[in-house]
Structure formats: C-alpha cells, structure tokens
Amino acid sequence: MVEIVFLIPLLTGVMAFFIPRTTGRSLLVITGVIHLVLSLYLWIRRPVAVFDVYFSVTPEGLLSLMVISLLFFLISIYTTGYLKNTDIRSERVFTGSMLLFLSTMTMVTLSDHIMVMWIAIEATTLASAPLIYTHRSAATLEATWKYVLICSVGIALALLGSVLITLSMDIGGVDVPVAFSALTGEAGRLDPLWLKTGFVFILVGYGTKMGLAPMHTWLPDAHSEAPSPASALLSGVLLNCAYLGIFKTNKLMHAAGLGHFSGTILIVLGLVSILVAATFILKQTEYKRLLAYSSIENMGIIAFGTGIGGLGAYGAMLCLIHHSLIKSSLFLSSGNILLGFGSRLIKETGQLARRMPKTFVAFFSGFAGISGFPPFGIFIGELFIIIAAFRSGHYVAVGIFILSLCVIFAGFAKHVMQISFSDVQATIRLEEKPNMVWPQYALLLTSLVLCIWIPDSLYQTIIHAVNSIGGGF
Amino acid sequence: MIQPVDTILALVLLSVLVSFGSSRLPSLIKVLAFQGVVVSIVPLVIGHELTAGSIVFTLVTLVIRGIVIPLFIYLAIQKVAIRRDVGPIVGYHASLLAGLALIVAATFVSPKFNLPQTGVDALLLPTAITLLVAGMFLLMARRNAIAMVLGYIMMENGIYLVGTSFSVRAHHIVEFGILLDVLAGVMIMAIILQNINQAFDDVDTALLRTLKE
C-alpha cells in the first residue's frame, strides 16, 4: 500500500486545522516520524502500488522521497522551537498547510501517470501558498500573489506539454497507459515532433517551479518572505519535486533517442540560471534572498549536469541530494539569525560568531558546503559535473560554469563574512535552544557522511536512476 | 455545410475578441463565464462516442468552468469595492486588432502541424491556439490583478480544448483532478485578491512592486 505514505499527512493535515495549536505542533513531529518510517519501508521493500496505473516506486522518486522525509522530520523538530519564539496569528493554518504540503510533495515523488504528476505539482503550489502568507504583511501578500500566479501559469504550460505528449502517443499509435514507466518502453514509437514540443513546454512549466532563469522571478520573493521552516521546505524539497517532473520527461526523451535535443536545452537553461544567480548574489542586501539566489544557482548546476549526461548526471543527482540537506540547514540557521537580530538586512547583522556561536557553526559550515568545499557532498557533485563536461567537449560551457561559481563564491563569502564578523550594534533576542540548532547539525552531518561514505543501496539507486538518462561512470 | 461544432467554436473566438474589448471587470467576467460554458460543451458535439461517464464529466466541467469559477470571482469583487477598470497597458483598439491578427495567424499556422485528421474539426486547433495566446495576452496587457486571473482561466480553457479534443485516452478521474486543481487555484487567487485589496485599497498590480532587486 504505497499510497498510504501521502494519505497519512493528508489526513493529519486536515486534522491540524481543527485541533489546538500546541497539539498541532506535536502532530507535526509525529507525522514526520511516521512518514520517515514509511519511507524507509518503501526504500527497503519497494512494493507495488494499489493504483499502479497512477503511482509507482521509482529509483529517482525514492531518492526524492527519502530526502523529503528526512528533511521534514528535522524541520518539524525545528518548527516546534521556532513557533514558540514567533508570533503567528493563524498557527493552525500554518501547521495544516505544512502537512498538506508534505502530502502533495510525497504524491509527486510517487506519481507515475503524467497527468497525476501534474495534479500533484500544482497541488504543491496551492498547499504552500498559505505558508508564504503566514506573516500577513503587504510584502508577504505580494510574494504569495507572484508565487501563485507565476507558478500556476507556468504549470499550466506543463499541462499543455503533458497533453502534447499524449498527442504524440495518438499519432504514433501507442496504446499504453499515459504513465512514464509504460511510455519509456514504447518511446521509440512516439511522434518525435510532438514529443519534443511537449518536452519544451514541460521544461518551461516545471522549470518555472524549479526556479530556472528566466522564469525564476517568484523564487527570491517567496523564499525570503516565508517563515524560515517553510523556506527550508520550499528550497530543500519543493524544487526537487519540480526537477523530478523534468527528469522523468528527460528520461522519456532519452528512451526515444532525443537525448541530445533535451540535453542542449537543459545545458543552456542551467547556465543562464547560474549566470543570473551570480549577477544578483554580488549586490544582495538581504541574507534570505541571498540563500534564495543560491538555490537558483544550484538548480542551474543540476540542470547543467543533467544536460551533460554521463558522469555529470550522476554528479547532478549528488548535488540534488546535498543541496537539499545543506540549503535547508542554511534556511533554518537564517531563521535563528532573523529571530536573534530582528532584521533581514545583511548590514544590520554582525558578529554572529560571538553572539550566537552555535548558529554560527551551522551557518558557516553550511556556507562552506553550499560553495562546494569538501568535506560536504556538493564538492564531489560539482567535480563530477566539471569532469564530465570536459570529457564531452563542452569547453565554453564549462568555462562559463567555473567562472560563475567563482563569482558566486566571492559574493557569498563577502556577505557571510559581514554577517559573521563585522561590528554592528544589536541585542540578541533569541536563546539558542537545542531543538533550534541540532536539526541543522544533523542535516550537515548527513551531507558530510554521505560525502565520505555512500551506502551501497543508495549508490545502486542513484546509478539505477541516472542510467536511463545515459548517466553513470 | 455548417456543423454545430463550427458554430460553437466561432462563439469561442468571438468571446476572445469581446474580452479584449471589455473595459469593465463585470463584463469581462461575464464573457469568461460564457466562454467557459461554450468550451465545456465542445466534447459533446465533436463526435466522440458518448458514454454516461463522459456526459457526467462534461456537465461537471460546465458547472465549474461556466458557473462556479466566474461566480466566485464575481462575488469577490462585489464584496470589496474594487475599482472596476481593467487597467489596460495595451489599449482596447490595439488589443482588438491584436486579437484579430492572432486569430488569422492561428488559422494560418494550424494546418502546418501534422495532426491525425480523424474526425477533428478544422477550426479546433486555431481556436485552442487563440485561447492560449489570448490568455497570455490578458495576463501581460492588463494591470488589474483580477483581469490577470481571468487571463489565466482563458489559458486553462485553451488547454482543456486541446486535451479533450485531441487525446481521448485520459481517464475522467484524472481530468477531474485537473479541474479540481484549477478550481482551487482560482479560489486561492481570489482570496489573495481580497487581501490585496484590503492592504492596498486596490488590485492594481503596479502597487505590487516593493519586492525587487
């Protein structure tokens, strides 16, 4: 019974709207635990779904599911501490939406039917909109409006893309369920013109949701205005869900022998995203927006790696996992900084190392990790992508790639140094409770361990996932 | 010979032109409601075989696209005293001209796609393309946030037309899920709109410019 993994958070999410808020906080953690246990069960047993036309357990879906589950569990622990220190008027809506958001994202990772995948991804937009609007200010309103409108329109294009793929089935005379797994076997008979058109629309649609430039404009606003636990979820796992849609369609393209076409578009979009992020990171004034642009950069890296293929696709998968772990820890730390200093501006923060030492350790190591330093996993991922790009002869592209990474590192480092060490008058209003720093440490530690030692089952799953898009060693 | 489906699709195209010329929100909403109804009944007249399931689904679509969604938006603007002007960035005459050019262009490019010509009407693809592009046009060329939502709905109508007419294989339960998503999306947009109006006393998106680099 695979479906139970997303039905449980759906149920508890609806419950959370009606129960007292303190109970809601524990419900968040309890659901997190149940979800983690069920996901582990799926990981080990890999069962078949009841509605196997619509849902199935795939290697790439499982990877995302495990990341979602682990992240949600740790973030839910952090959230209990965060909610005690902030004044949220409608806390029940917040916890309820968090759980519904978890449910919809889980549904994305398990869906196999093209349309069901679309339904689930659109549902993530709807479930997360109230999270962004939590603080009820004019700015959050603007961010929510942009988020819902831009993503809905973008995802509408993905729906058109999905419809066009069914059209390519009609023309090719393929009579199988409209599911990714069934179609991959018959991909050679799909009409190539409509398949390509469908892929472009799906890439633009889900790319909007994933934060690929130039469709990224909602992302910095939404990530900076949402409360930090919600930002961590948005950046850490929502972007992965959108990527999953692109990944599966790309798989279809590879099976149909059109991998070169999709790869080229992915490389271009990836590079544009990295360049845009580099431009905006340099002159950023708010630290949460800084992290948001860093997410755009990393999504660009992942798209680039996927487009390169081979070792690059393997590297992209590593980047996907480690970006989630590290970026969500950074967003949680930024929540502590926000609660401590009471300002989102970089220039109003300083001497983090002395004032909030525990948060500083998490924030600074997170920065090192996201910039691609060992011993965190993004280092290996980016290294593989660069090697693969050289091997396949994309010299200009990889030149731009490396140069942008250097610029981003320089910009990021300048801001982090300011936050960590510069002299600013401020009184700290937050006591660093264990449940508000340990989740970050746990996330970073996971990334560190996975960099040094990858369990065999994880390795096999990644290889299995990327094999279908021409990835692997 | 003029078939009923041609008449219906012509009405859809006409509704696009009327919507481009509408300057007031209530009339724009009425046009969209009309369009929702007309687009919903296309599957009934197009000549696919009718089962009980497809008839029920068409009726549900008709109720949601033609009645529930427009009514919801209409009530949203009734409750709060929103300025009724759609705030054109591109003027009405220019919009109308663009609409006509769009229909001509859509008709011109449609035969170039290699579609299976099995019982699909010649006007269908041009209409679908027109709806899609016209929806985008409304999104970009109107400053009023409600007009933008209506543009989104028009785009969705276009996608629905492509989906139901060309690919008959999608299950109704899946179609229903899509419809539900659109409905929920529009409702959430309407709720945000009411809040925007309370916060800014207007729904002019020019006011939503504080978050930028």
Side-chain angles (χ1 to χ4, degrees):
Chain A
M1 181 80 182
V2 170
E3 291 83 355
I4 202 154
V5 189
F6 62 80
L7 288 178
I8 284 184
L10 181 70
L11 192 73
T12 53
V14 174
M15 267 164 65
F17 282 98
F18 302 103
I19 57 175
R21 48 196 210 127
T22 39
T23 327
R25 289 176 196 170
S26 8
L27 190 67
L28 214 54
V29 181
I30 294 168
T31 313
V33 174
I34 298 174
H35 193 267
L36 190 59
V37 171
L38 287 172
S39 306
L40 277 172
Y41 174 78
L42 287 197
W43 178 271
I44 296 165
R45 298 295 297 273
R46 323 234 162 156
V48 177
V50 178
F51 297 98
D52 56 354
V53 182
Y54 303 126
F55 303 103
S56 80
V57 181
T58 55
E60 60 271 18
L62 266 181
L63 285 171
S64 305
L65 179 66
M66 283 316 292
V67 172
I68 290 176
S69 203
L70 179 69
L71 251 66
F72 187 85
F73 171 61
L74 292 170
I75 290 171
S76 68
I77 295 175
Y78 176 89
T79 310
T80 51
Y82 183 87
L83 288 175
K84 276 183 197 143
N85 284 290
T86 36
D87 182 30
I88 292 178
R89 237 188 295 163
S90 51
E91 204 183 298
R92 284 189 290 192
V93 176
F94 179 76
T95 42
S97 305
M98 285 278 271
L99 290 167
L100 291 182
F101 190 31
L102 173 69
S103 163
T104 51
M105 286 192 299
T106 311
M107 195 168 149
V108 176
T109 63
L110 294 175
S111 52
D112 190 31
H113 193 280
I114 294 181
M115 298 296 173
V116 172
M117 178 131 205
W118 184 86
I119 294 171
I121 292 184
E122 171 71 10
T124 58
T125 312
L126 304 177
S128 51
L131 292 177
I132 300 173
Y133 186 50
T134 303
H135 286 310
R136 308 275 159 114
S137 65
T140 54
L141 200 54
E142 181 184 339
T144 318
W145 169 250
K146 274 190 189 168
Y147 174 61
V148 173
L149 195 74
I150 295 178
C151 284
S152 293
V153 171
I155 295 174
L157 294 179
L159 177 62
L160 181 64
S162 310
V163 170
L164 293 181
I165 287 184
T166 61
L167 186 60
S168 81
M169 291 170 63
D170 280 347
I171 296 175
V174 181
D175 194 24
V176 291
V178 197
F180 285 108
S181 54
L183 275 179
T184 310
E186 303 284 335
R189 285 164 55 209
L190 298 176
D191 181 66
L193 173 71
W194 286 107
L195 185 59
K196 279 190 208 168
T197 323
F199 173 78
V200 171
F201 274 107
I202 287 184
L203 182 63
V204 170
Y206 292 155
T208 309
K209 188 89 199 214
M210 183 181 163
L212 291 178
M215 299 87 75
H216 67 284
T217 44
W218 62 272
L219 195 144
D221 300 342
H223 284 50
S224 65
E225 295 301 326
S228 299
S231 316
L233 271 186
L234 284 174
S235 176
V237 285
L238 177 65
L239 305 184
N240 294 7
C241 286
Y243 171 72
L244 203 60
I246 296 174
F247 182 92
K248 289 194 170 182
T249 321
N250 189 24
K251 197 161 121 181
L252 207 56
M253 294 290 283
H254 273 270
L258 299 166
H260 185 70
F261 174 81
S262 61
T264 314
I265 305 180
L266 279 168
I267 290 174
V268 171
L269 273 185
L271 278 182
V272 172
S273 309
I274 301 172
L275 281 172
V276 164
T279 324
F280 285 102
I281 278 180
L282 276 180
K283 43 185 284 189
Q284 201 43 252
T285 53
E286 291 178 21
Y287 49 85
K288 283 185 85 175
R289 290 182 82 87
L290 179 73
L291 296 179
Y293 276 108
S294 161
S295 291
I296 297 175
E297 173 219 346
N298 277 285
M299 287 303 128
I301 292 174
I302 291 163
F304 182 77
T306 315
I308 296 278
L311 196 54
Y314 182 74
M317 269 293 166
L318 287 184
C319 278
L320 190 74
I321 297 169
H322 289 283
H323 167 257
S324 299
L325 295 168
I326 298 172
K327 185 53 64 61
S328 52
S329 92
L330 274 170
F331 267 113
L332 296 183
S333 302
S334 81
N336 286 2
I337 300 175
L338 181 58
L339 291 178
F341 288 90
S343 168
R344 274 203 292 261
L345 295 175
I346 293 172
K347 65 170 194 247
E348 289 179 11
T349 54
Q351 290 185 329
L352 187 70
R354 198 167 53 76
R355 287 170 167 153
M356 302 170 81
K358 290 173 193 162
T359 305
F360 165 74
V361 173
F363 191 69
F364 205 82
S365 351
F367 154 66
I370 210 77
S371 311
F373 278 89
F376 297 102
I378 289 188
F379 166 70
I380 298 187
E382 288 180 355
L383 195 67
F384 281 170
I385 293 175
I386 291 171
I387 293 173
F390 272 120
R391 268 195 203 163
S392 59
H394 293 91
Y395 298 114
V396 180
V398 78
I400 301 172
F401 180 79
I402 296 174
L403 195 70
S404 315
L405 289 193
C406 294
V407 171
I408 289 169
F409 170 68
F412 213 132
K414 188 184 86 181
H415 298 308
V416 171
M417 290 304 160
Q418 164 123 30
I419 295 171
S420 306
F421 305 114
S422 74
D423 206 12
V424 163
Q425 293 294 325
T427 43
I428 299 300
R429 303 169 221 173
L430 178 76
E431 190 192 341
E432 293 181 281
K433 291 264 179 57
N435 62 356
M436 295 187 74
V437 283
W438 279 105
Q440 288 96 301
Y441 291 162
L443 287 165
L444 291 168
L445 200 67
T446 316
S447 168
L448 196 145
V449 169
L450 288 183
C451 175
I452 300 163
W453 170 72
I454 294 187
D456 193 49
S457 79
L458 177 62
Y459 173 77
Q460 292 300 342
T461 312
I462 299 178
I463 288 292
H464 192 168
V466 296
N467 258 340
S468 50
I469 55 165
F473 288 95
Chain B
M1 191 186 98
I2 294 179
Q3 294 184 337
V5 61
D6 285 328
T7 321
I8 287 174
L9 291 173
L11 285 175
V12 175
L13 288 177
L14 207 60
S15 74
V16 171
L17 287 181
V18 176
S19 74
F20 275 17
S22 307
S23 62
R24 318 299 283 174
L25 277 176
S27 58
L28 191 55
I29 294 172
K30 278 173 203 150
V31 175
L32 255 294
F34 172 73
Q35 192 181 74
V37 171
V38 177
V39 165
S40 309
I41 53 176
V42 168
L44 285 183
V45 291
I46 205 163
H48 289 321
E49 47 190 302
L50 294 175
T51 57
S54 65
I55 291 175
V56 169
F57 176 73
T58 309
L59 286 178
V60 173
T61 314
L62 193 142
V63 169
I64 291 183
R65 277 185 201 273
I67 299 171
V68 178
I69 290 179
L71 196 68
F72 201 78
I73 296 176
Y74 192 75
L75 292 178
I77 68 162
Q78 289 292 312
K79 203 150 62 172
V80 286
I82 286 176
R83 219 167 40 119
R84 301 298 166 85
D85 182 36
V86 295
I89 294 173
V90 177
Y92 302 115
H93 291 123
S95 299
L96 274 175
L97 205 62
L100 280 173
L102 171 64
I103 293 173
V104 172
T107 319
F108 187 69
V109 298
S110 295
K112 303 231 186 319
F113 298 110
N114 90 64
L115 280 176
Q117 293 297 333
T118 46
V120 173
D121 191 80
L123 254 183
L124 225 139
L125 192 61
T127 315
I129 296 176
T130 307
L131 279 180
L132 274 167
V133 182
M136 289 222 188
F137 180 85
L138 278 187
L139 268 167
M140 288 183 285
R142 300 285 181 264
R143 269 203 319 273
N144 187 304
I146 292 176
M148 293 169 81
V149 176
L150 294 171
Y152 167 69
I153 295 170
M154 197 182 278
M155 260 182 81
E156 280 288 347
N157 283 345
I159 295 170
Y160 173 78
L161 209 53
V162 180
T164 49
S165 321
F166 293 117
S167 58
V168 278
R169 63 183 68 244
H171 302 270
H172 289 308
I173 179 123
V174 175
E175 296 268 354
F176 189 68
I178 295 172
L179 196 59
L180 217 59
D181 259 357
V182 174
L183 178 66
V186 171
M187 284 187 167
I188 286 185
M189 285 177 196
I191 293 169
I192 302 172
L193 282 173
Q194 292 184 354
N195 285 303
I196 290 180
N197 195 60
Q198 279 162 12
F200 296 100
D201 284 332
D202 201 343
V203 285
D204 190 336
T205 44
L207 295 169
L208 298 176
R209 290 272 166 84
T210 51
L211 295 175
K212 59 179 179 188
E213 302 311 323

